[in-house]
Amino acid sequence: MLRSMYSGISGMKNFQTKLDVIGNNISNVNTYGFKKGRTVFKDLVSQQIAGANGPTAGGRGGVNPKQVGLGVQLAAIDTIHTEGSTQTTGRTLDLAISGDGFFQVNDGTNTYYTRAGNFYMDQNGDLINSDGFYLGEVGAPFNIPTTATSLSIGTGGTISYIDGGVLNTAQQIEIAKFANPEGLSKAGANFYGITDNSGEPEIGIPGLDGRGAIAPGSLEMSNVDLSEEFTEMIVAQRGFQANTRIITTSDEILQELMSMKR
């Protein structure tokens, strides 16, 4: 009985984790560039009741092993990097990536990676995101003169503007691509950080060598599908309830055994 109770407990704990992931997905359904999470389970080690036997020379057939599983455990929480829908905004500094890759942003010391392309211009003319992080690598911000007019950004990342009646171009926006983007760690604020399993960033021009092109005047929406999330939430809820029944049923059986003494 205790074995089945602990199996039920492991199921409850892991379905709670699944619900936590689903809740985070739903809460970020309108977050630009957000990538949904997915929970994957695997079974725990099984207790061996009897081993397997092969066929014998006397004509007796083989026997399969007898095992009792001891519950479930968390195999992975994946980040699903499928591309979200593109929303046209018409705003010059709203940028989406059509394909693979990430924008680089930095706080002057550390570089982070993001799919959220809502950028702004500060009072010095530097391009920043909503948290004040500079667009580009550390030490190489994009600066647009405050007197510039007719600012435009091309699909290849080239920034063009007119200043003093002269057409100028601004240090081209580059895209970072990773061998294993699912290996990146979420750092909050739509940022990702490098890990030992993500690989180093391959920096290059948008639209080349497998990197996505820039879609100016657009933003990438979250890739969360509410119908899928609500379906998964029902599955997780029912799974959690079923595991509670395992515990209550085992408790009732133990209660019956205890009552035999009386």
Side-chain angles (χ1 to χ4, degrees):
M1 291 301 105
L2 290 177
R3 186 165 52 199
S4 62
M5 292 182 75
Y6 283 118
S7 292
I9 291 171
S10 71
M12 290 172 62
K13 289 172 61 178
N14 286 286
F15 274 115
Q16 180 61 60
T17 301
K18 182 179 178 72
L19 285 168
D20 292 340
V21 173
I22 292 170
N24 183 60
N25 289 344
I26 293 174
S27 66
N28 283 284
V29 68
N30 287 322
T31 301
Y32 293 127
F34 178 80
K35 302 303 177 186
K36 65 184 177 182
R38 179 185 67 184
T39 310
V40 182
F41 297 146
K42 62 182 178 181
D43 64 334
L44 282 169
V45 65
S46 296
Q47 182 178 357
Q48 189 88 344
I49 304 301
N53 294 312
T56 63
R60 186 170 181 176
V63 178
N64 293 328
K66 300 178 181 67
Q67 296 175 297
V68 177
L70 299 179
V72 65
Q73 62 181 320
L74 191 64
I77 299 178
D78 299 326
T79 301
I80 309 300
H81 282 275
T82 55
E83 190 172 340
S85 301
T86 301
Q87 179 185 23
T88 301
T89 66
R91 181 175 175 271
T92 303
L93 293 180
D94 283 346
L95 307 176
I97 299 176
S98 179
D100 294 338
F102 299 83
F103 295 109
Q104 301 176 95
V105 295
N106 73 88
D107 59 3
T109 304
N110 301 304
T111 301
Y112 300 93
Y113 306 90
T114 182
R115 294 280 296 191
N118 50 311
F119 296 109
Y120 309 87
M121 190 183 299
D122 67 10
Q123 65 176 359
N124 296 323
D126 292 328
L127 296 186
I128 58 173
N129 74 349
S130 57
D131 292 312
F133 285 55
Y134 295 103
L135 174 62
E137 297 181 270
V138 175
F142 290 93
N143 184 267
I144 309 297
T146 55
T147 56
T149 59
S150 301
L151 176 67
S152 66
I153 300 175
T155 58
T158 302
I159 302 175
S160 303
Y161 60 89
I162 295 176
D163 187 26
V166 179
L167 179 63
N168 297 272
T169 57
Q171 296 173 285
Q172 189 167 30
I173 298 174
E174 293 183 312
I175 296 296
K177 184 182 176 185
F178 292 88
N180 177 27
E182 292 189 356
L184 294 169
S185 64
K186 289 186 175 182
N190 286 335
F191 296 155
Y192 292 91
I194 298 173
T195 69
D196 292 339
N197 201 38
S198 64
E200 291 298 315
E202 301 171 9
I203 311 300
I205 298 173
L208 297 181
D209 300 324
R211 297 175 191 86
I214 289 178
S218 303
L219 287 172
E220 181 185 5
M221 301 298 290
S222 168
N223 68 348
V224 172
D225 183 340
L226 279 180
S227 61
E228 178 185 351
E229 297 302 322
F230 282 128
T231 301
E232 288 295 319
M233 184 164 58
I234 293 171
V235 171
Q237 179 185 8
R238 297 308 182 197
F240 187 93
Q241 290 175 336
N243 279 276
T244 63
R245 297 297 184 270
I246 293 173
I247 295 173
T248 56
T249 300
S250 298
D251 179 60
E252 290 171 0
I253 293 173
L254 286 173
Q255 187 67 34
E256 290 296 325
L257 290 173
M258 295 294 291
S259 65
M260 289 177 63
K261 185 175 182 299
R262 297 195 298 269

